[in-house]
PDB file of all heavy atoms in Angstrom:
ATOM      1  N   MET A1351      11.231   8.016  -2.624  1.00  0.00           N
ATOM      2  CA  MET A1351       9.968   8.470  -2.041  1.00  0.00           C
ATOM      3  C   MET A1351       8.807   7.712  -2.663  1.00  0.00           C
ATOM      4  O   MET A1351       7.941   7.166  -1.957  1.00  0.00           O
ATOM      5  CB  MET A1351       9.794   9.971  -2.256  1.00  0.00           C
ATOM      6  CG  MET A1351       8.471  10.545  -1.778  1.00  0.00           C
ATOM      7  SD  MET A1351       7.077  10.371  -2.947  1.00  0.00           S
ATOM      8  CE  MET A1351       7.619  11.438  -4.294  1.00  0.00           C
ATOM      9  N   GLU A1352       8.774   7.648  -3.987  1.00  0.00           N
ATOM     10  CA  GLU A1352       7.661   7.006  -4.673  1.00  0.00           C
ATOM     11  C   GLU A1352       7.583   5.514  -4.325  1.00  0.00           C
ATOM     12  O   GLU A1352       6.497   4.987  -4.044  1.00  0.00           O
ATOM     13  CB  GLU A1352       7.787   7.193  -6.177  1.00  0.00           C
ATOM     14  CG  GLU A1352       6.654   6.540  -6.944  1.00  0.00           C
ATOM     15  CD  GLU A1352       6.689   6.843  -8.435  1.00  0.00           C
ATOM     16  OE1 GLU A1352       7.241   7.892  -8.827  1.00  0.00           O
ATOM     17  OE2 GLU A1352       6.147   6.019  -9.200  1.00  0.00           O
ATOM     18  N   GLU A1353       8.704   4.849  -4.336  1.00  0.00           N
ATOM     19  CA  GLU A1353       8.704   3.418  -4.016  1.00  0.00           C
ATOM     20  C   GLU A1353       8.201   3.181  -2.601  1.00  0.00           C
ATOM     21  O   GLU A1353       7.399   2.265  -2.353  1.00  0.00           O
ATOM     22  CB  GLU A1353      10.109   2.843  -4.172  1.00  0.00           C
ATOM     23  CG  GLU A1353      10.178   1.349  -3.859  1.00  0.00           C
ATOM     24  CD  GLU A1353      11.589   0.789  -3.977  1.00  0.00           C
ATOM     25  OE1 GLU A1353      12.541   1.579  -4.091  1.00  0.00           O
ATOM     26  OE2 GLU A1353      11.725  -0.447  -3.948  1.00  0.00           O
ATOM     27  N   SER A1354       8.648   4.007  -1.652  1.00  0.00           N
ATOM     28  CA  SER A1354       8.223   3.862  -0.265  1.00  0.00           C
ATOM     29  C   SER A1354       6.722   4.048  -0.120  1.00  0.00           C
ATOM     30  O   SER A1354       6.044   3.274   0.575  1.00  0.00           O
ATOM     31  CB  SER A1354       8.974   4.874   0.600  1.00  0.00           C
ATOM     32  OG  SER A1354       8.503   4.841   1.927  1.00  0.00           O
ATOM     33  N   VAL A1355       6.174   5.070  -0.775  1.00  0.00           N
ATOM     34  CA  VAL A1355       4.738   5.344  -0.672  1.00  0.00           C
ATOM     35  C   VAL A1355       3.928   4.206  -1.271  1.00  0.00           C
ATOM     36  O   VAL A1355       2.936   3.743  -0.693  1.00  0.00           O
ATOM     37  CB  VAL A1355       4.401   6.682  -1.352  1.00  0.00           C
ATOM     38  CG1 VAL A1355       2.894   6.866  -1.459  1.00  0.00           C
ATOM     39  CG2 VAL A1355       5.023   7.839  -0.568  1.00  0.00           C
ATOM     40  N   ARG A1356       4.338   3.720  -2.428  1.00  0.00           N
ATOM     41  CA  ARG A1356       3.606   2.616  -3.065  1.00  0.00           C
ATOM     42  C   ARG A1356       3.633   1.364  -2.190  1.00  0.00           C
ATOM     43  O   ARG A1356       2.605   0.680  -2.039  1.00  0.00           O
ATOM     44  CB  ARG A1356       4.199   2.324  -4.441  1.00  0.00           C
ATOM     45  CG  ARG A1356       3.914   3.400  -5.491  1.00  0.00           C
ATOM     46  CD  ARG A1356       4.466   3.002  -6.858  1.00  0.00           C
ATOM     47  NE  ARG A1356       4.284   4.036  -7.861  1.00  0.00           N
ATOM     48  CZ  ARG A1356       3.171   4.207  -8.598  1.00  0.00           C
ATOM     49  NH1 ARG A1356       2.139   3.397  -8.412  1.00  0.00           N
ATOM     50  NH2 ARG A1356       3.104   5.171  -9.488  1.00  0.00           N
ATOM     51  N   LEU A1357       4.780   1.054  -1.611  1.00  0.00           N
ATOM     52  CA  LEU A1357       4.884  -0.121  -0.750  1.00  0.00           C
ATOM     53  C   LEU A1357       3.984   0.004   0.470  1.00  0.00           C
ATOM     54  O   LEU A1357       3.308  -0.956   0.870  1.00  0.00           O
ATOM     55  CB  LEU A1357       6.335  -0.320  -0.316  1.00  0.00           C
ATOM     56  CG  LEU A1357       7.287  -0.886  -1.371  1.00  0.00           C
ATOM     57  CD1 LEU A1357       8.723  -0.845  -0.856  1.00  0.00           C
ATOM     58  CD2 LEU A1357       6.902  -2.314  -1.750  1.00  0.00           C
ATOM     59  N   ARG A1358       3.963   1.180   1.077  1.00  0.00           N
ATOM     60  CA  ARG A1358       3.139   1.380   2.272  1.00  0.00           C
ATOM     61  C   ARG A1358       1.649   1.274   1.948  1.00  0.00           C
ATOM     62  O   ARG A1358       0.873   0.718   2.731  1.00  0.00           O
ATOM     63  CB  ARG A1358       3.442   2.733   2.900  1.00  0.00           C
ATOM     64  CG  ARG A1358       4.776   2.775   3.637  1.00  0.00           C
ATOM     65  CD  ARG A1358       5.052   4.140   4.215  1.00  0.00           C
ATOM     66  NE  ARG A1358       6.456   4.267   4.602  1.00  0.00           N
ATOM     67  CZ  ARG A1358       7.101   5.408   4.678  1.00  0.00           C
ATOM     68  NH1 ARG A1358       6.472   6.536   4.404  1.00  0.00           N
ATOM     69  NH2 ARG A1358       8.375   5.445   5.041  1.00  0.00           N
ATOM     70  N   MET A1359       1.237   1.800   0.816  1.00  0.00           N
ATOM     71  CA  MET A1359      -0.171   1.719   0.434  1.00  0.00           C
ATOM     72  C   MET A1359      -0.587   0.273   0.192  1.00  0.00           C
ATOM     73  O   MET A1359      -1.690  -0.142   0.575  1.00  0.00           O
ATOM     74  CB  MET A1359      -0.439   2.577  -0.798  1.00  0.00           C
ATOM     75  CG  MET A1359      -0.375   4.071  -0.529  1.00  0.00           C
ATOM     76  SD  MET A1359      -0.951   5.074  -1.927  1.00  0.00           S
ATOM     77  CE  MET A1359       0.293   4.706  -3.157  1.00  0.00           C
ATOM     78  N   ARG A1360       0.279  -0.514  -0.429  1.00  0.00           N
ATOM     79  CA  ARG A1360      -0.044  -1.925  -0.654  1.00  0.00           C
ATOM     80  C   ARG A1360      -0.060  -2.691   0.668  1.00  0.00           C
ATOM     81  O   ARG A1360      -0.909  -3.571   0.883  1.00  0.00           O
ATOM     82  CB  ARG A1360       0.946  -2.544  -1.638  1.00  0.00           C
ATOM     83  CG  ARG A1360       0.758  -2.057  -3.071  1.00  0.00           C
ATOM     84  CD  ARG A1360       1.462  -2.948  -4.073  1.00  0.00           C
ATOM     85  NE  ARG A1360       2.909  -2.875  -3.971  1.00  0.00           N
ATOM     86  CZ  ARG A1360       3.666  -2.013  -4.646  1.00  0.00           C
ATOM     87  NH1 ARG A1360       3.108  -1.155  -5.497  1.00  0.00           N
ATOM     88  NH2 ARG A1360       4.979  -2.019  -4.512  1.00  0.00           N
ATOM     89  N   ALA A1361       0.885  -2.352   1.569  1.00  0.00           N
ATOM     90  CA  ALA A1361       0.899  -2.994   2.886  1.00  0.00           C
ATOM     91  C   ALA A1361      -0.366  -2.663   3.669  1.00  0.00           C
ATOM     92  O   ALA A1361      -0.930  -3.533   4.360  1.00  0.00           O
ATOM     93  CB  ALA A1361       2.135  -2.566   3.658  1.00  0.00           C
ATOM     94  N   SER A1362      -0.820  -1.435   3.576  1.00  0.00           N
ATOM     95  CA  SER A1362      -2.050  -1.043   4.267  1.00  0.00           C
ATOM     96  C   SER A1362      -3.244  -1.821   3.736  1.00  0.00           C
ATOM     97  O   SER A1362      -4.103  -2.281   4.509  1.00  0.00           O
ATOM     98  CB  SER A1362      -2.292   0.466   4.103  1.00  0.00           C
ATOM     99  OG  SER A1362      -1.303   1.214   4.781  1.00  0.00           O
ATOM    100  N   ALA A1363      -3.311  -1.977   2.416  1.00  0.00           N
ATOM    101  CA  ALA A1363      -4.415  -2.737   1.824  1.00  0.00           C
ATOM    102  C   ALA A1363      -4.387  -4.186   2.293  1.00  0.00           C
ATOM    103  O   ALA A1363      -5.435  -4.786   2.591  1.00  0.00           O
ATOM    104  CB  ALA A1363      -4.332  -2.666   0.305  1.00  0.00           C
ATOM    105  N   HIS A1364      -3.192  -4.754   2.382  1.00  0.00           N
ATOM    106  CA  HIS A1364      -3.071  -6.129   2.877  1.00  0.00           C
ATOM    107  C   HIS A1364      -3.551  -6.221   4.322  1.00  0.00           C
ATOM    108  O   HIS A1364      -4.308  -7.129   4.689  1.00  0.00           O
ATOM    109  CB  HIS A1364      -1.606  -6.571   2.772  1.00  0.00           C
ATOM    110  CG  HIS A1364      -1.357  -7.946   3.329  1.00  0.00           C
ATOM    111  ND1 HIS A1364      -1.004  -8.153   4.654  1.00  0.00           N
ATOM    112  CD2 HIS A1364      -1.419  -9.176   2.757  1.00  0.00           C
ATOM    113  CE1 HIS A1364      -0.862  -9.444   4.866  1.00  0.00           C
ATOM    114  NE2 HIS A1364      -1.104 -10.097   3.727  1.00  0.00           N
ATOM    115  N   ASP A1365      -3.115  -5.267   5.155  1.00  0.00           N
ATOM    116  CA  ASP A1365      -3.522  -5.270   6.554  1.00  0.00           C
ATOM    117  C   ASP A1365      -5.029  -5.116   6.704  1.00  0.00           C
ATOM    118  O   ASP A1365      -5.626  -5.629   7.649  1.00  0.00           O
ATOM    119  CB  ASP A1365      -2.820  -4.150   7.319  1.00  0.00           C
ATOM    120  CG  ASP A1365      -1.327  -4.378   7.452  1.00  0.00           C
ATOM    121  OD1 ASP A1365      -0.861  -5.509   7.203  1.00  0.00           O
ATOM    122  OD2 ASP A1365      -0.609  -3.407   7.789  1.00  0.00           O
ATOM    123  N   GLY A1366      -5.621  -4.386   5.764  1.00  0.00           N
ATOM    124  CA  GLY A1366      -7.055  -4.157   5.821  1.00  0.00           C
ATOM    125  C   GLY A1366      -7.891  -5.248   5.185  1.00  0.00           C
ATOM    126  O   GLY A1366      -9.124  -5.151   5.152  1.00  0.00           O
ATOM    127  N   GLY A1367      -7.240  -6.294   4.662  1.00  0.00           N
ATOM    128  CA  GLY A1367      -7.973  -7.408   4.072  1.00  0.00           C
ATOM    129  C   GLY A1367      -8.542  -7.119   2.704  1.00  0.00           C
ATOM    130  O   GLY A1367      -9.469  -7.809   2.247  1.00  0.00           O
ATOM    131  N   LEU A1368      -7.981  -6.112   2.006  1.00  0.00           N
ATOM    132  CA  LEU A1368      -8.443  -5.815   0.650  1.00  0.00           C
ATOM    133  C   LEU A1368      -7.881  -6.841  -0.330  1.00  0.00           C
ATOM    134  O   LEU A1368      -6.974  -7.612   0.006  1.00  0.00           O
ATOM    135  CB  LEU A1368      -8.028  -4.401   0.244  1.00  0.00           C
ATOM    136  CG  LEU A1368      -8.920  -3.248   0.725  1.00  0.00           C
ATOM    137  CD1 LEU A1368      -8.955  -3.151   2.240  1.00  0.00           C
ATOM    138  CD2 LEU A1368      -8.467  -1.923   0.126  1.00  0.00           C
ATOM    139  N   VAL A1369      -8.391  -6.848  -1.544  1.00  0.00           N
ATOM    140  CA  VAL A1369      -7.976  -7.828  -2.542  1.00  0.00           C
ATOM    141  C   VAL A1369      -6.505  -7.645  -2.891  1.00  0.00           C
ATOM    142  O   VAL A1369      -5.938  -6.555  -2.736  1.00  0.00           O
ATOM    143  CB  VAL A1369      -8.829  -7.722  -3.821  1.00  0.00           C
ATOM    144  CG1 VAL A1369     -10.292  -7.989  -3.511  1.00  0.00           C
ATOM    145  CG2 VAL A1369      -8.669  -6.351  -4.477  1.00  0.00           C
ATOM    146  N   SER A1370      -5.894  -8.703  -3.357  1.00  0.00           N
ATOM    147  CA  SER A1370      -4.491  -8.671  -3.741  1.00  0.00           C
ATOM    148  C   SER A1370      -4.247  -7.596  -4.795  1.00  0.00           C
ATOM    149  O   SER A1370      -5.017  -7.466  -5.756  1.00  0.00           O
ATOM    150  CB  SER A1370      -4.069 -10.033  -4.289  1.00  0.00           C
ATOM    151  OG  SER A1370      -2.720 -10.007  -4.724  1.00  0.00           O
ATOM    152  N   GLY A1371      -3.186  -6.816  -4.606  1.00  0.00           N
ATOM    153  CA  GLY A1371      -2.848  -5.757  -5.558  1.00  0.00           C
ATOM    154  C   GLY A1371      -3.488  -4.429  -5.260  1.00  0.00           C
ATOM    155  O   GLY A1371      -3.210  -3.437  -5.954  1.00  0.00           O
ATOM    156  N   ALA A1372      -4.327  -4.360  -4.239  1.00  0.00           N
ATOM    157  CA  ALA A1372      -5.005  -3.107  -3.897  1.00  0.00           C
ATOM    158  C   ALA A1372      -4.067  -2.182  -3.129  1.00  0.00           C
ATOM    159  O   ALA A1372      -3.008  -2.586  -2.638  1.00  0.00           O
ATOM    160  CB  ALA A1372      -6.253  -3.388  -3.080  1.00  0.00           C
ATOM    161  N   SER A1373      -4.467  -0.923  -3.028  1.00  0.00           N
ATOM    162  CA  SER A1373      -3.749   0.075  -2.244  1.00  0.00           C
ATOM    163  C   SER A1373      -4.740   0.795  -1.351  1.00  0.00           C
ATOM    164  O   SER A1373      -5.895   1.011  -1.730  1.00  0.00           O
ATOM    165  CB  SER A1373      -3.039   1.087  -3.150  1.00  0.00           C
ATOM    166  OG  SER A1373      -1.979   0.472  -3.856  1.00  0.00           O
ATOM    167  N   ALA A1374      -4.280   1.185  -0.163  1.00  0.00           N
ATOM    168  CA  ALA A1374      -5.193   1.804   0.805  1.00  0.00           C
ATOM    169  C   ALA A1374      -4.485   2.861   1.620  1.00  0.00           C
ATOM    170  O   ALA A1374      -3.257   2.872   1.737  1.00  0.00           O
ATOM    171  CB  ALA A1374      -5.794   0.746   1.731  1.00  0.00           C
ATOM    172  N   GLU A1375      -5.292   3.743   2.194  1.00  0.00           N
ATOM    173  CA  GLU A1375      -4.839   4.698   3.206  1.00  0.00           C
ATOM    174  C   GLU A1375      -5.534   4.359   4.520  1.00  0.00           C
ATOM    175  O   GLU A1375      -6.673   3.884   4.518  1.00  0.00           O
ATOM    176  CB  GLU A1375      -5.157   6.133   2.772  1.00  0.00           C
ATOM    177  CG  GLU A1375      -4.321   6.558   1.565  1.00  0.00           C
ATOM    178  CD  GLU A1375      -4.761   7.879   0.948  1.00  0.00           C
ATOM    179  OE1 GLU A1375      -5.930   8.292   1.149  1.00  0.00           O
ATOM    180  OE2 GLU A1375      -3.938   8.489   0.252  1.00  0.00           O
ATOM    181  N   GLU A1376      -4.834   4.603   5.628  1.00  0.00           N
ATOM    182  CA  GLU A1376      -5.324   4.189   6.946  1.00  0.00           C
ATOM    183  C   GLU A1376      -5.865   5.373   7.742  1.00  0.00           C
ATOM    184  O   GLU A1376      -5.281   6.461   7.723  1.00  0.00           O
ATOM    185  CB  GLU A1376      -4.193   3.529   7.742  1.00  0.00           C
ATOM    186  CG  GLU A1376      -3.631   2.290   7.087  1.00  0.00           C
ATOM    187  CD  GLU A1376      -2.543   1.643   7.925  1.00  0.00           C
ATOM    188  OE1 GLU A1376      -2.402   1.999   9.121  1.00  0.00           O
ATOM    189  OE2 GLU A1376      -1.826   0.780   7.379  1.00  0.00           O
TER     190      GLU A1376
END
C-alpha cells in the first residue's frame, strides 16, 4: 500500500510539471 501511494504521488507531481522528487495530489 505504502509503495503504491508514494509512486502515484510522485507520478502525479511529474504529470503536473513539479520539480524532480516532488509529490502531488490531483
Side-chain angles (χ1 to χ4, degrees):
M1351 176 277 294
E1352 180 174 334
E1353 180 182 11
S1354 175
V1355 170
R1356 289 183 183 275
L1357 285 172
R1358 286 179 195 155
M1359 289 189 294
R1360 289 196 292 270
S1362 293
H1364 177 269
D1365 292 346
L1368 278 63
V1369 299
S1370 177
S1373 292
E1375 292 170 338
E1376 299 182 14

